[in-house]
Structure formats: C-alpha cells, structure tokens
Amino acid sequence: MQGYIVRGLPIIKEGDDIASQLQSLFDFQDGDVLCIASTVVAKSEGRFRDLDSYFPGPRAREIASNIDKDPRFVQAVLDESAQVLLDHPFLLVATRFGHIGVNAGIDQSNVGGERILLLPEDPGASAERLRAGIGREMAVIVTDTCGRPFRTGVAGVAVGWAGIAALRDWRGKCDMHGKVLEITQEAIVDEIASAANLLMGEAGDGTPAVVFRGLKYPRTGGSVFMPEEMDVIRPHLGS
Ligand code: GDP
Ligand code: MN
Ligand code: MN
C-alpha cells in the first residue's frame, strides 16, 4: 500500500471544481482511496458565512453566556444541529447528516478573514460528486479533524464517503484459535481518515488531499454514524 500527498492545490474558493483540480495534479487509478479535508470541500460549496448574518435568539444567547462564546457563533452551531447533546462546557451537537461533533464542525481556522466555515451540508453527497467528477472506480472519503470522547488529542474521522463501505464486517470470521468473531465491525473509513489526517497536517501545510493506493476495501455497507436508538451514551448526556 502506498500513500500520496497531493501537492499544489490553491486556496479553494466557492465554485471551484476540486475534482478537475485534483485530476490535473494526480493520475487517479481504479481502486484508489482519495481522502479530502472537509474544509476544502466546504469552501468549494460556498459554505462560508459571515458572523454578522446570524441573529442570535434567546437560546443561543443563554448558551453563549455560559460558555463564553460569541452568540452569533452559537446561533450558527444551533442552525446546523439536529440535536444538542451538550451545551456546556462546550457545544456538542448532532448534525443533520448524522455526525456528532463539537460546534457542528464549524471551523474558524484555515478560513480567512472574519468568516466561519460550515461543514458541507451532506458530505456523503459531496463524496459521491467528487467520485463521479474524477470518473474512476475509486473511493472518496471526506475527512474532518475531531476530538474524541475519553481520549485527549484530535484525530481525523470520516464525515462522508462514497465507493467504499464504512464498516468491514468481521462477524463470522475465526480468530487464530478458531473462535468465531461475533461483534467486530471495523470502522475502516475512520481508520483511513485518521491516517490521511496525519499526512494532511492541521495548519498551513496546504495539503488537504491524500491518496492511498493498493488498499483492499469492501465497497458497500454500513455507516459510522451510530443510530440514536443504539447509542447508550447519548441518553446520559444532559443539556
Ligand atoms: P479540516 O481537518 O477539514 O478541518 O481541515 P484543516 O483546517 O485541518 O486543513 C487540513 C489541510 O488542508 C491542511 O493541510 C490545510 O493547510 C489544508 N487546507 C485548508 N484549506 C485549504 C485550501 O483552501 N487550499 C489548500 N491547498 N489547502 C487547504
Ligand atoms: Mn474541521
Ligand atoms: Mn484538520
């Protein structure tokens, strides 16, 4: 397996065709896995917002005063949320497309100016579009850097994917002693996303695209977004 950092992408603007920009920098083959930072996907989709375009309601103002945040920013997070899981000491929400993240994944770094950048509205659909745009029988994973519960430090996760199964199902396979695995489903899109995130960097590197070649992966199935009814932690979070 090889990993390639795609170099040479410019600062992405609304309307940029990332698929063709990438194609001019990298010769994609069938079976490749392209990992692309949600930041640049969101930029190309015009997900910039001006903080001044938000008019915080009472809930946003109350949350903001508790956690010492700009009420306009809190309103932006609420607008992107399907459910608030924690409103202090930070805002942890479920996005409409199923990902749970602090501040709904809204970024203020690598954006430029006073603007904020929302996550793509539907990163799975974004991944499908990129895949179709490149026109290869390949996988696309849209990544974001996130904190993890119970662990310090941030890591890359998949927020959208196409052409690849989210999960590899090990159930029914035997371990080295012949014991049949009963539960294990491996979150391969997150594992790949975290490796890619390691190569992208977090600051001014300018390398939001990473390609893995020679990786064997299942093509369809599952999601890393846990259905609410299966989540035993969520009911214990009060907000
Ligand atoms: P996130 O993990 O999706 O929130 O994105 P980051 O802000 O951590 O950026 C990931 C990588 O993409 C870093 O190497 C950034 O320098 C790079 N990056 C962010 N925006 C741009 C852009 O507009 N153009 C290019 N070429 N790189 C970018
Ligand atoms: Mn981010
Ligand atoms: Mn990042």
Side-chain angles (χ1 to χ4, degrees), residues 61-178:
R61 277 186 264 129
E62 188 190 333
I63 294 172
S65 72
N66 283 335
I67 63 176
D68 199 21
K69 282 266 182 204
D70 187 320
R72 298 169 303 171
F73 181 79
V74 172
Q75 188 62 55
V77 174
L78 294 181
D79 287 358
E80 295 308 301
S81 304
Q83 191 188 358
V84 176
L85 278 66
L86 284 178
D87 61 12
H88 66 91
F90 52 82
L91 252 176
L92 180 71
V93 305
T95 62
R96 284 196 214 87
F97 63 90
H99 168 63
I100 290 174
V102 172
N103 295 335
I106 299 177
D107 272 334
Q108 291 175 294
S109 61
N110 277 322
V111 181
E114 282 285 88
R115 296 173 303 174
I116 58 172
L117 184 66
L118 313 178
L119 280 178
E121 189 169 0
D122 181 353
S126 308
E128 292 283 4
R129 281 195 294 274
L130 271 172
R131 183 172 184 267
I134 294 170
R136 286 284 185 183
E137 199 48 57
M138 59 185 279
V140 176
I141 299 174
V142 178
T143 69
D144 195 16
T145 308
C146 283
R148 291 97 34 89
F150 312 116
R151 306 185 75 83
T152 50
V154 292
V157 298
V159 292
W161 54 92
I164 183 170
L167 306 171
R168 174 176 277 141
D169 195 351
W170 289 91
R171 292 173 298 182
K173 300 271 186 330
C174 287
D175 75 0
M176 293 184 74
H177 303 278

Side-chain angles (χ1 to χ4, degrees), residues 1-238:
M1 205 266 305
Q2 293 95 42
Y4 303 93
I5 298 171
V6 180
R7 296 188 192 277
L9 274 177
I11 301 269
I12 301 301
K13 304 182 303 298
E14 176 168 8
D16 279 358
D17 180 351
I18 306 181
S20 57
Q21 288 174 321
L22 286 169
Q23 273 175 310
S24 70
L25 297 168
F26 191 84
D27 188 14
F28 289 96
Q29 295 178 9
D30 291 352
D32 284 350
V33 181
L34 164 66
C35 297
I36 181 94
S38 52
T39 295
V40 294
V41 176
K43 285 177 174 176
S44 75
E45 294 176 359
R47 301 281 284 163
F48 299 101
R49 296 291 181 272
D50 201 323
L51 272 182
D52 276 334
S53 69
Y54 291 94
F55 300 94
R59 181 147 191 239
R61 277 186 264 129
E62 188 190 333
I63 294 172
S65 72
N66 283 335
I67 63 176
D68 199 21
K69 282 266 182 204
D70 187 320
R72 298 169 303 171
F73 181 79
V74 172
Q75 188 62 55
V77 174
L78 294 181
D79 287 358
E80 295 308 301
S81 304
Q83 191 188 358
V84 176
L85 278 66
L86 284 178
D87 61 12
H88 66 91
F90 52 82
L91 252 176
L92 180 71
V93 305
T95 62
R96 284 196 214 87
F97 63 90
H99 168 63
I100 290 174
V102 172
N103 295 335
I106 299 177
D107 272 334
Q108 291 175 294
S109 61
N110 277 322
V111 181
E114 282 285 88
R115 296 173 303 174
I116 58 172
L117 184 66
L118 313 178
L119 280 178
E121 189 169 0
D122 181 353
S126 308
E128 292 283 4
R129 281 195 294 274
L130 271 172
R131 183 172 184 267
I134 294 170
R136 286 284 185 183
E137 199 48 57
M138 59 185 279
V140 176
I141 299 174
V142 178
T143 69
D144 195 16
T145 308
C146 283
R148 291 97 34 89
F150 312 116
R151 306 185 75 83
T152 50
V154 292
V157 298
V159 292
W161 54 92
I164 183 170
L167 306 171
R168 174 176 277 141
D169 195 351
W170 289 91
R171 292 173 298 182
K173 300 271 186 330
C174 287
D175 75 0
M176 293 184 74
H177 303 278
K179 182 184 179 320
V180 177
L181 301 181
E182 285 169 9
I183 298 171
T184 308
Q185 297 201 77
E186 183 185 9
I188 56 171
V189 288
D190 280 340
E191 292 181 308
I192 298 167
S194 76
N197 195 75
L198 176 68
L199 298 176
M200 288 176 192
E202 299 295 342
D205 312 68
T207 48
V210 166
V211 181
F212 295 109
R213 177 165 293 164
L215 198 62
K216 291 208 179 84
Y217 55 91
R219 302 296 151 115
T220 53
S223 172
V224 287
F225 304 142
M226 186 179 283
E228 192 177 349
E229 62 275 12
M230 284 177 63
D231 193 332
V232 298
I233 304 293
R234 237 157 128 166
H236 293 277
L237 299 176

